[in-house]
Amino acid sequence: AVYADAGGTIGYQLVGQLPVRRGGHGLMPTPADAPAAGWQDELVPFGRMPTIVNPPDGFLATANDPPPTPPGGPFLGLDY
């Protein structure tokens, strides 16, 4: 979600439920019976979801741009 308020604050917050892969990034096929295949039981906690408030550039762009994920944050893919 992209948001703004009357005071001039702008921001972005990824919302929803984001699963976590047990292994890899899902970019290559993995045998379904491999121990590292599939998803973990827990979802990415809301506090680790990509977010940004008042970016230094003064604007937000979401079309074909990767989400503002901090270092060590969840892997969200490579195609935007």
Side-chain angles (χ1 to χ4, degrees), residues 15-48:
V15 295
Q17 295 182 329
L18 185 63
V20 179
R21 290 187 180 275
R22 286 193 182 122
H25 293 302
L27 300 175
M28 298 296 293
T30 304
D33 62 348
W39 306 100
Q40 294 181 9
D41 292 334
E42 302 292 323
L43 299 171
V44 173
F46 185 77
R48 290 196 59 226

Side-chain angles (χ1 to χ4, degrees), residues 1-3 11-14 52 59-68 79-80:
V2 177
Y3 60 89
Y12 168 88
Q13 173 69 58
L14 183 63
I52 189 165
F59 67 90
L60 294 163
T62 60
N64 299 324
D65 253 5
D79 297 323
Y80 301 100

